Amino acid sequence: MSDASPTVLFEHPLNEKMRTWLRIEFLLQQLHGQRALSETAIALTFFRTISDLLDVLERGEIRTELLKELERQQQKLLQWADVPGVDMTRVDQLRNQLKQRSSQLMSAPRMGQALREDRLIALVRQRLSIPGGCCSFDLPTLHMWMHAAQHERDDDVAQWLQTLEPLHQALTMILSLIRQTEPFRNQISLNGFYQDNAEGADLLRLRIDLVHQLYPQISGHKTRYAIRFLPLDSEHGQVPERLTFDLACC
């Protein structure tokens, strides 16, 4: 793969835990990217994203799973202590950060509870499932809020996002460490197909040259996975007999 070629990065979870974490990360990134609610359309996208996040947080024991992973990452870092030449100062820094994230997450209120109890968020969530249900005559409270000073809305958004910081910081660090566990390696698919083992892995990461206009269709679980490359243009697109791509099985 040429270093000069623009590439597209795809990530695929290999278990339900990672699937949920990637969805939460995706939603948190949207929330932080929509902070300046200067128009009603932007505000409704923000509130819809909050609603989606609260729905995800209500499923499963997300806090418990994150705490387990923070502990697991600490134990993995300890294994580096006996490896010659390892920067133990950096290892100790990471372990302390993991302990801090764990402590913050453990002492935080129920994830998303402050958002569920917020009056404006609750009012908007009730109307989101109704087509066009957030008009000014349906939600005069939102209409008034959108006419408040921008700094007042910014303060509200900052307070809402602050309640998610223990989750955000813990998840960001966990996913960063997982993504760094394996480097990208050059692979070749034959006639658009590739498969391999994934014992103990959580996440597949693929980089493909944009020029090919291909995307991966991945099926996999914790022990094995298969990748089929498909053309974006299903009628006229072609898949090379031998396709080079980069893969990291984390």
Side-chain angles (χ1 to χ4, degrees):
M1 184 175 297
S2 172
D3 293 337
S5 302
T7 60
V8 183
L9 174 65
F10 294 91
E11 293 188 326
H12 186 83
L14 294 174
N15 51 55
E16 193 58 34
K17 171 187 71 177
M18 180 57 66
R19 187 182 306 275
T20 299
W21 290 353
L22 291 179
R23 284 176 174 159
I24 293 174
E25 178 191 47
F26 175 66
L27 293 168
L28 288 172
Q29 288 173 345
Q30 290 182 67
L31 289 176
H32 282 270
Q34 300 164 355
R35 301 180 66 122
L37 309 187
S38 56
E39 300 176 7
T40 299
I42 300 173
L44 287 177
T45 301
F46 179 86
F47 286 118
R48 190 177 298 278
T49 305
I50 282 186
S51 183
D52 288 347
L53 178 61
L54 292 178
D55 287 344
V56 173
L57 292 178
E58 287 173 359
R59 306 170 193 163
E61 297 294 330
I62 294 172
R63 189 205 303 258
T64 301
E65 292 292 339
L66 288 173
L67 289 171
K68 287 180 181 177
E69 186 62 28
L70 288 167
E71 177 62 29
R72 186 173 80 95
Q73 291 295 333
Q74 289 185 56
Q75 296 304 316
K76 287 180 67 176
L77 286 171
L78 274 177
Q79 298 172 9
W80 288 98
D82 298 327
V83 178
V86 169
D87 183 355
M88 286 308 299
T89 300
R90 178 56 178 157
V91 171
D92 290 338
Q93 285 178 344
L94 288 171
R95 290 190 65 235
N96 288 334
Q97 289 177 19
L98 286 165
K99 290 178 182 178
Q100 184 180 20
R101 300 290 183 267
S102 182
S103 177
Q104 291 171 342
L105 187 62
M106 195 176 301
S107 61
R110 182 187 175 200
M111 288 189 294
Q113 189 60 32
L115 301 180
R116 293 185 190 91
E117 294 175 352
D118 186 271
R119 180 171 177 268
L120 179 59
I121 292 175
L123 286 171
V124 176
R125 285 188 81 195
Q126 290 174 4
R127 307 296 302 183
L128 284 174
S129 61
I130 303 172
C134 295
C135 289
S136 59
F137 58 84
D138 286 309
L139 277 174
T141 306
L142 175 63
H143 189 61
M144 287 294 296
W145 187 74
M146 288 304 301
H147 281 78
Q150 181 67 50
H151 71 85
E152 293 181 14
R153 293 198 300 277
D154 291 345
D155 288 345
D156 286 340
V157 170
Q159 290 177 21
W160 293 332
L161 294 181
Q162 184 60 37
T163 67
L164 296 170
E165 271 307 285
L167 167 65
H168 187 203
Q169 293 185 11
L171 183 62
T172 298
M173 186 167 189
I174 285 172
L175 292 178
S176 176
L177 289 172
I178 289 175
R179 285 168 173 141
Q180 295 177 56
T181 55
E182 289 292 333
F184 282 100
R185 292 185 173 88
N186 194 253
Q187 306 291 352
I188 297 176
S189 76
L190 300 178
N191 297 313
F193 185 75
Y194 181 89
Q195 64 179 352
D196 202 352
N197 295 322
E199 190 68 43
D202 293 306
L203 179 68
L204 285 182
R205 310 185 75 212
L206 293 83
R207 274 199 315 234
I208 309 172
D209 277 346
L210 185 60
V211 68
H212 295 304
Q213 290 292 286
L214 300 173
Y215 65 92
Q217 186 178 75
I218 304 172
S219 58
H221 48 79
K222 60 183 179 180
T223 60
R224 192 162 183 80
Y225 62 90
I227 306 170
R228 185 169 296 282
F229 293 96
L230 301 173
L232 189 61
D233 184 344
S234 58
E235 291 188 17
H236 306 292
Q238 294 183 342
V239 180
E241 182 178 341
R242 294 173 64 85
L243 173 68
T244 301
F245 65 101
D246 291 332
L247 178 68
C249 188
C250 305

